[in-house]
Amino acid sequence: MRTRAGARALAMNTEILLFGSLAERFGERLKSALPAEGCTVAELRSMLGNEDAELGAALLQPGTRASADQRLVSDAERVFPGQEIAFFPILSGG
């Protein structure tokens, strides 16, 4: 499929993994439409929050980390459809 110059590439469904208390509250897996050109982790948090305000608030809690392809990433990191993307709260305990 071809797009006009400057047109945004089609969004692609991507599976997002949740761990710990996030998984307990929202399930272990969810799908979200990521732009084909990717987005930052911060943009992904915002997109997920637009889909579910409670999840969005949980993802914005201090200490909720993200990973892409099993590597910790910052909110400025760009993620793409097809990557393994996960969110998890900081673990506590011994």
Side-chain angles (χ1 to χ4, degrees):
M1 174 177 233
R2 294 174 10 164
T3 59
R4 296 188 326 256
R8 189 168 192 181
L10 295 175
M12 301 175 68
N13 270 340
T14 299
E15 188 172 73
I16 310 294
L17 304 175
L18 301 176
F19 292 94
S21 60
L22 291 172
E24 291 170 8
R25 289 175 62 194
F26 304 103
E28 294 178 354
R29 299 171 188 271
L30 54 98
K31 291 200 185 264
S32 184
L34 261 65
E37 70 274 10
C39 63
T40 66
V41 170
E43 291 168 333
L44 177 57
R45 288 180 198 259
S46 178
M47 289 186 314
L48 293 171
N50 288 338
E51 294 172 13
D52 181 326
E54 189 177 343
L55 173 61
L59 292 176
L60 292 175
Q61 290 296 308
T64 298
R65 304 295 308 266
S67 69
D69 295 333
Q70 300 181 5
R71 180 179 56 85
L72 288 176
V73 294
S74 73
D75 277 358
E77 182 85 15
R78 209 157 177 78
V79 292
F80 299 90
Q83 283 188 291
E84 179 184 281
I85 302 168
F87 289 98
F88 52 93
I90 289 181
L91 302 176
S92 61

